[in-house]
Amino acid sequence: MEESKSIMNFRPEIKVLDATIRDGGLVNNFDFSDEFIRDLYKANVKAGVDYMEFGYKASKEIFDVNKFGKWKFCDEESIRDIVGENISDMKISVMADVGRCDYKKDIIDRDDSVIDMIRVATYINTMPAAIDMIEDAKSKGYETTCNIMAISNAKESDMDVALEMLGKSDVDGIYIVDSYGSIYPEQMRSLADKYLNIGEKYNKQIGIHAHNNQQLAFANTIEAVGRGVNLLDATMSCMGRGAGNCAMELLLGFLKNPKYNLFPVLQFIEKHINPLKESGTVWGYDIPYLLTGRLNQHPSAAIDFTRDRRSDYAEFYQWLLERE
Amino acid sequence: MEESKSIMNFRPEIKVLDATIRDGGLVNNFDFSDEFIRDLYKANVKAGVDYMEFGYKASKEIFDVNKFGKWKFCDEESIRDIVGENISDMKISVMADVGRCDYKKDIIDRDDSVIDMIRVATYINTMPAAIDMIEDAKSKGYETTCNIMAISNAKESDMDVALEMLGKSDVDGIYIVDSYGSIYPEQMRSLADKYLNIGEKYNKQIGIHAHNNQQLAFANTIEAVGRGVNLLDATMSCMGRGAGNCAMELLLGFLKNPKYNLFPVLQFIEKHINPLKESGTVWGYDIPYLLTGRLNQHPSAAIDFTRDRRSDYAEFYQWLLERE
């Protein structure tokens, strides 16, 4: 039976990307200690993780450097201070948002950088700008991916056009991004098939970045794997905006490639994630995120609700329904 | 596309069973206030839940009535004290464990009882005893189901025999039970198909009772629904042993039958579940449960680990691996 075969064996093409700093930084304004980042780097290398994302290449013209930790900006020196020349098998990525990155200036030639991959995040209506960023990064020598956000609200016909545009571009990988955590597994399988068709046609890898609003981030990730998706985002203990992401500890527990090792991840969580949670940094599945996810809405209202320590869920749900 | 159709529409045959007291009682020795139970009953009726399980019919010869709350025993008077004659559309169930229930004496004729359904829980090697209990309950006038526990450790050939035995019995429903929370969605789909084949052959409904060790309880439940499973167990905010169960709030948010209503569930959680958690009653997804689930082991070691407030996950994982 094909399904058993796929769960017993592994595809060497699968690559795991740790997005703890980048998506987790949205929870704490990138205010991580250097020890946290250093230990995360070591844990990822030991765990066999394929890529570690250090944060955003955000524009210092737009964002105040005094209001965010350094991983919002990912200066070359900041990364080198942690990884040196990165003499490991793990590659390094950063994310660049359309409209929030001075990419022509801030992204230097890959020969001069310790970064290996630029991931361009875009909404579907800014695809030409995203492709310009991708071509710029590609011409500088980087691996590139495009992460199309908020697709659960996009029209299918627009999606088809966007995927064709990306297919014809130089991008190496295209990510399915469930920004609102609203996608159910059977929908994820259909989406994966749609993206994989483009991937096959244009020789692109397909990736997935899931959110956990309905406790489906891990399920959606492994369902996408079952269809042929190879680039998998995860974060330590789900750390990420709102309900967080697919947990690294769940994902590495599932993947059968013997290169992956769960122990360094468990040690990292014990040493760094538990204290972070105890210090009051809040993320993860909770009722308000379920409600925005279920309604296919941005989690910002749920983040505010949680920050205000409210628990009037029924009132909140009514309010969400009325603004739809 | 069939998949979209199934997610947009609903099957009226689907029945939701609230197992909060029964599985949740394993967390707090069934020490619930009467107000909790009364409000839970009202919330379930308003939410359109189809069955509410009040607890176990445990033997008072085996279990000390002073060490457990009354829902371990579910005396007729205890249930009537909450529901009166139960003049609602919701039915009432109790669970009876093979070898731990004086069923001939303690389960009275349905005509004299407010209970509608007896769910018999068994391991695969005590199937003849389970069938004796089922026939006894059936002859007294009850709806009956059989919940075969710990199937992730059973041989497939034994499963086939057990399902054939049940098929030929008078039982109304057969549950897939993922006791250890170790089953992945693609395995759940195969299991569902196996049970549904028996269900079709012998005219039995198939059900699912999932555990959340790998954050897959909800995903596995809705994947089983997609194959044709109709009897769905859920609990308020996942309350249940160890990592808990499929969350009622997630399940009712997914089901499209307009008879289901999420608001009473949200109100119940706000009023009763949050205070219960704040009082120190602990359940739900956490690293130790992921580890036992991943290794297909009983959660008891993880429950002890959590109770002892340990966080040396790597040490614990090593210990679990060594005892395999």
Side-chain angles (χ1 to χ4, degrees):
Chain A
M1 193 178 53
E2 203 195 353
E3 289 192 333
S4 310
K5 202 178 64 187
S6 73
I7 214 166
M8 289 291 291
N9 213 334
F10 69 91
R11 286 199 305 274
E13 297 83 8
I14 286 178
K15 307 287 178 199
V16 174
L17 182 146
D18 171 59
T20 305
I21 313 178
R22 205 267 311 154
D23 210 320
L26 298 173
V27 176
N28 68 350
N29 287 331
F30 304 88
D31 180 21
F32 296 101
S33 72
D34 279 359
E35 192 196 7
F36 183 103
I37 305 293
R38 256 182 251 281
D39 285 349
L40 181 61
Y41 173 72
K42 286 181 203 158
N44 280 327
V45 169
K46 280 192 200 164
V49 166
D50 302 281
Y51 291 84
M52 174 170 164
E53 189 153 84
F54 271 74
Y56 284 96
K57 273 279 184 194
S59 165
K60 291 178 185 171
E61 310 283 322
I62 299 176
F63 297 98
D64 183 345
V65 294
N66 298 311
K67 288 190 178 155
F68 297 93
K70 57 189 167 189
W71 307 108
K72 176 89 174 173
F73 307 99
C74 282
D75 292 340
E76 188 69 27
E77 324 65 278
S78 305
I79 302 178
R80 284 184 187 270
D81 186 41
I82 303 293
V83 309
E85 289 294 321
N86 184 31
I87 45 162
S88 76
D89 291 333
M90 186 174 72
K91 293 181 175 177
I92 289 171
S93 76
V94 294
M95 184 164 272
D97 274 344
V98 164
R100 299 179 201 159
C101 173
D102 304 319
Y103 54 102
K104 305 224 171 182
K105 173 168 67 73
D106 288 345
I107 295 176
I108 60 177
D109 276 353
R110 186 179 178 180
D111 284 348
D112 304 320
S113 175
V114 76
I115 297 168
D116 300 284
M117 183 163 74
I118 308 290
R119 301 210 303 170
V120 174
T122 180
Y123 292 102
I124 199 160
N125 61 343
T126 52
M127 197 53 66
I131 288 175
D132 193 55
M133 292 171 70
I134 288 162
E135 307 294 357
D136 178 78
K138 198 73 196 169
S139 73
K140 289 171 178 163
Y142 292 96
E143 294 177 37
T144 56
T145 72
C146 186
N147 299 38
I148 318 172
M149 300 182 289
I151 51 167
S152 54
N153 275 340
K155 283 188 198 148
E156 280 165 322
S157 52
D158 290 348
M159 283 288 309
D160 291 338
V161 173
L163 289 175
E164 278 291 329
M165 290 170 75
L166 280 172
K168 289 170 184 154
S169 80
D170 278 342
V171 81
D172 299 299
I174 308 172
Y175 277 82
I176 306 165
V177 185
D178 181 15
S179 301
Y180 302 159
S182 65
I183 296 174
Y184 294 111
E186 68 183 78
Q187 298 171 314
M188 183 55 76
R189 291 192 292 272
S190 299
L191 269 174
D193 290 348
K194 182 199 275 278
Y195 279 61
L196 285 161
N197 279 341
I198 290 290
E200 200 162 320
K201 186 172 167 191
Y202 293 107
N203 193 28
K204 312 292 187 195
Q205 287 291 331
I206 303 303
I208 175 166
H209 178 85
H211 277 272
N212 209 28
N213 297 60
Q214 299 194 83
Q215 296 191 0
L216 292 172
F218 174 53
N220 279 333
T221 300
I222 64 179
E223 286 301 299
V225 167
R227 307 307 272 200
V229 168
N230 283 335
L231 310 178
L232 313 180
D233 277 15
T235 63
M236 297 294 176
S237 286
C238 305
M239 187 180 188
R241 182 159 65 180
N245 303 110
C246 173
M248 181 66 79
E249 56 273 26
L250 287 167
L251 186 59
L252 293 195
F254 171 79
L255 294 173
K256 298 294 183 291
N257 189 332
K259 72 170 274 198
Y260 296 122
N261 182 0
L262 190 53
F263 279 102
V265 170
L266 297 176
Q267 286 158 341
F268 180 82
I269 292 170
E270 183 182 332
K271 181 171 176 190
H272 285 291
I273 295 289
N274 285 355
L276 194 63
K277 284 190 166 173
E278 279 157 21
S279 77
T281 308
V282 177
W283 71 90
Y285 171 80
D286 202 352
I287 306 284
Y289 300 118
L290 144 67
L291 297 173
T292 59
R294 201 238 157 200
L295 297 174
N296 193 16
Q297 294 184 7
H298 192 283
S300 56
I303 292 170
D304 293 347
F305 182 95
T306 304
R307 189 201 51 220
D308 296 346
R309 297 170 178 270
R310 287 172 59 185
S311 65
D312 50 330
Y313 306 128
E315 185 90 9
F316 178 62
Y317 188 45
Q318 188 60 48
W319 179 81
L320 290 173
L321 285 167
E322 278 166 9
R323 72 170 191 169
E324 274 214 309
Chain B
M1 194 176 53
E2 203 194 354
E3 289 193 332
S4 310
K5 203 178 63 186
S6 74
I7 215 165
M8 289 292 291
N9 212 333
F10 70 90
R11 285 199 304 275
E13 297 82 9
I14 286 178
K15 307 288 179 200
V16 174
L17 184 146
D18 172 58
T20 305
I21 313 178
R22 206 268 309 156
D23 211 320
L26 298 172
V27 176
N28 68 351
N29 288 332
F30 304 88
D31 181 21
F32 296 101
S33 71
D34 280 0
E35 192 196 8
F36 183 103
I37 305 293
R38 257 182 251 282
D39 285 349
L40 181 60
Y41 173 73
K42 287 182 204 158
N44 279 327
V45 169
K46 280 192 201 163
V49 166
D50 302 281
Y51 290 84
M52 173 168 164
E53 189 152 85
F54 271 75
Y56 285 97
K57 273 279 184 194
S59 165
K60 292 179 185 172
E61 310 283 322
I62 299 176
F63 297 98
D64 183 344
V65 293
N66 298 312
K67 289 192 179 153
F68 297 93
K70 57 190 166 189
W71 308 108
K72 176 89 173 173
F73 308 99
C74 281
D75 292 339
E76 188 69 26
E77 325 64 278
S78 305
I79 302 177
R80 282 185 188 271
D81 186 40
I82 303 293
V83 309
E85 290 294 322
N86 183 31
I87 45 162
S88 76
D89 291 334
M90 185 174 72
K91 294 180 176 177
I92 289 171
S93 76
V94 294
M95 183 164 273
D97 274 346
V98 164
R100 299 180 201 159
C101 173
D102 304 319
Y103 54 102
K104 305 227 171 182
K105 173 168 68 72
D106 288 346
I107 295 178
I108 60 176
D109 276 354
R110 185 179 180 181
D111 284 348
D112 304 320
S113 176
V114 76
I115 296 168
D116 300 285
M117 183 163 74
I118 309 290
R119 301 209 303 170
V120 173
T122 181
Y123 292 103
I124 199 160
N125 61 343
T126 51
M127 198 52 66
I131 289 175
D132 193 56
M133 291 171 72
I134 288 161
E135 308 293 357
D136 177 78
K138 199 74 195 168
S139 73
K140 289 171 178 164
Y142 292 96
E143 294 177 35
T144 57
T145 72
C146 185
N147 298 38
I148 318 172
M149 299 183 289
I151 50 168
S152 54
N153 275 340
K155 284 187 196 148
E156 280 166 323
S157 53
D158 290 348
M159 284 288 309
D160 291 337
V161 174
L163 290 174
E164 279 291 329
M165 290 168 75
L166 280 172
K168 289 170 183 155
S169 80
D170 278 343
V171 80
D172 299 300
I174 308 171
Y175 277 82
I176 307 165
V177 185
D178 181 15
S179 300
Y180 302 160
S182 65
I183 296 174
Y184 293 111
E186 68 182 79
Q187 298 171 313
M188 183 54 75
R189 291 193 291 273
S190 299
L191 269 174
D193 290 347
K194 181 198 276 279
Y195 279 60
L196 285 161
N197 280 340
I198 290 289
E200 201 162 319
K201 184 172 168 191
Y202 293 107
N203 193 28
K204 313 293 187 194
Q205 286 290 332
I206 303 303
I208 175 165
H209 179 85
H211 277 270
N212 209 28
N213 296 61
Q214 299 193 85
Q215 295 192 1
L216 292 171
F218 175 53
N220 279 334
T221 300
I222 63 179
E223 287 301 298
V225 167
R227 308 305 275 200
V229 168
N230 282 335
L231 310 178
L232 313 180
D233 277 15
T235 63
M236 298 293 176
S237 286
C238 305
M239 187 179 188
R241 183 160 62 183
N245 304 111
C246 172
M248 181 66 79
E249 56 273 26
L250 286 167
L251 186 60
L252 293 195
F254 171 78
L255 294 173
K256 298 293 183 293
N257 189 333
K259 71 169 275 197
Y260 296 121
N261 182 359
L262 191 53
F263 280 102
V265 170
L266 297 176
Q267 286 158 341
F268 180 82
I269 292 169
E270 182 183 334
K271 181 171 175 190
H272 286 290
I273 296 289
N274 284 356
L276 195 62
K277 285 190 165 171
E278 279 156 21
S279 77
T281 308
V282 177
W283 71 89
Y285 171 80
D286 203 353
I287 306 285
Y289 300 118
L290 144 67
L291 297 174
T292 59
R294 201 239 156 199
L295 297 175
N296 193 17
Q297 295 184 6
H298 192 283
S300 56
I303 292 170
D304 292 347
F305 182 95
T306 304
R307 189 202 51 220
D308 296 346
R309 297 168 178 271
R310 287 173 57 186
S311 66
D312 50 330
Y313 306 128
E315 184 91 8
F316 179 62
Y317 188 45
Q318 188 60 47
W319 180 81
L320 290 174
L321 285 168
E322 278 167 9
R323 72 171 193 170
E324 274 213 308

